[in-house]
Amino acid sequence: MVHNARTVDQESDSADDAQYLKQYIPLVNFLGEVLGPRTEVALHDVANTKNSIIAIANGQVSSREVGSPATDFLLHLVRDGTPDGSDYVVGYRGRSSTNKNLLVSSTYLIRHRGKIVGALCINSDQTPLLAIEHMVEQLKDMYFPVSDHNDTEQQEENLVASADDVIEQVIDQTCVEAGARIDQLSPEQRLDAIRRLNDQGCFNIKGSVAKVARLLSISESTAYRYLRMV
């Protein structure tokens, strides 16, 4: 009798969670129109991973529809959570099984009574942007060719006002490439920033290690350790 009562309670909770998720369906349709036909918006019910999509806009981006299953990445998020403990992950790359175009994806985990019950996923097809980027690169090669005189490695000059600007520029670029805030950078990404700064000679300037440590949210001793590693 107790077992049956527990089963009834679980079924009631699941039905309540499913009803809670339905309030997000109008948001899916709204975002689909706002973001345009190259951006897919999908709402997942994680209680039914084999048929998790309960609403989708612009499904042609990934060739999915209502009733399609959850992705491996979503299952990973539901099981382990996000790397920084937040309820969302932005700017990761993905591809569908039928559409091989590069997608830039973001996922927001939906909680009900403290439990993850669903996810709102946004997937943008970057194909047109990549085509434009390729065209721009071709134009650059036509009008601004890079010299290969003596086959020497080309040097890069940063036209910035000060060494502090160089430091901030390199760290900002690291964050852009990682798709993360400074406080979200992994040790490997912080090490890469130290390597870039070292290559540009930034640590020849007095006080630069302390500044870099502060900007990367690490201790000076950690910064010196990274510097020794590179």
Side-chain angles (χ1 to χ4, degrees), residues 3-17 113 115:
H3 174 72
N4 291 337
R6 184 179 298 126
T7 301
V8 170
D9 289 341
Q10 291 173 343
E11 292 176 349
S12 177
D13 288 344
S14 296
D16 192 25
D17 293 339
R113 295 188 295 245
K115 179 182 67 174

Side-chain angles (χ1 to χ4, degrees), residues 3-135:
H3 174 72
N4 291 337
R6 184 179 298 126
T7 301
V8 170
D9 289 341
Q10 291 173 343
E11 292 176 349
S12 177
D13 288 344
S14 296
D16 192 25
D17 293 339
Q19 188 63 35
Y20 177 80
L21 282 173
K22 287 182 179 179
Q23 68 179 319
Y24 288 88
I25 292 177
L27 181 60
V28 171
N29 299 326
F30 168 71
L31 290 175
E33 291 195 30
V34 170
L35 299 175
R38 288 283 184 175
T39 299
E40 174 188 84
V41 184
L43 179 64
H44 292 263
D45 182 347
V46 300
N48 182 14
T49 56
K50 291 184 177 181
N51 308 99
S52 68
I53 295 182
I54 61 174
I56 190 168
N58 303 324
Q60 70 275 3
V61 170
S62 69
S63 301
R64 296 185 300 172
E65 58 188 13
V66 171
S68 293
T71 64
D72 53 352
F73 185 75
L74 178 56
L75 295 176
H76 168 74
L77 285 181
V78 173
R79 184 191 65 194
D80 300 331
T82 61
D84 62 355
S86 66
D87 282 336
Y88 57 86
V89 181
V90 299
Y92 59 91
R93 295 189 176 189
R95 295 183 189 273
S96 72
S97 59
T98 56
N99 186 341
K100 299 305 181 182
N101 291 341
L102 174 65
L103 305 176
V104 175
S105 304
S106 300
T107 294
Y108 180 84
L109 298 175
I110 300 171
R111 296 181 185 270
H112 187 215
R113 295 188 295 245
K115 179 182 67 174
I116 297 174
V117 298
L120 185 65
C121 301
I122 298 177
N123 306 297
S124 296
D125 183 357
Q126 300 293 294
T127 304
L129 293 178
L130 293 175
I132 293 173
E133 182 180 4
H134 180 64
M135 291 174 61

